Amino acid sequence: PTPAPPPASHAESAPANAALGSAEWCAWVDQSLGTSNHGHGPDQGSAEWNQTVQNKLGQEAPQSSPGSPEWQQSVDALLRTRLSQPSS
């Protein structure tokens, strides 16, 4: 039997081809920001989830409407930038 793949690293690897707003993208954002609280948080992609993401981003949060394509693009770029920087 082949060994199981290693578990996904903690938010270091952004999904290469995940469509913005897709389940894979939402899961990555969720993992990056820790919004789910062990599966007990708001449903990924819901208005409540978008607001939670917005709150987690704080002052860096995009100014566009949470959940909009522009907002998703801004969140994606912000998180990718954060993840590419060495943690202090």
Side-chain angles (χ1 to χ4, degrees):
T2 56
S9 59
H10 295 327
E12 272 97 35
S13 54
N17 297 316
L20 297 180
S22 69
E24 183 183 6
W25 182 81
C26 288
W28 170 71
V29 172
D30 213 336
Q31 183 182 36
S32 299
L33 294 175
T35 57
S36 71
N37 192 20
H38 306 292
H40 297 293
D43 292 337
Q44 291 176 355
S46 69
E48 184 183 1
W49 182 83
N50 292 335
Q51 197 57 55
T52 300
V53 170
Q54 187 81 350
N55 292 342
K56 288 273 188 178
L57 291 173
Q59 293 182 337
E60 294 181 299
Q63 297 303 306
S64 46
S65 176
S68 69
E70 296 82 8
W71 179 84
Q72 291 173 350
Q73 192 169 19
S74 297
V75 169
D76 188 76
L78 176 61
L79 290 179
R80 287 175 192 272
T81 301
R82 277 187 180 183
L83 296 176
S84 66
Q85 297 171 348
S87 54
S88 48

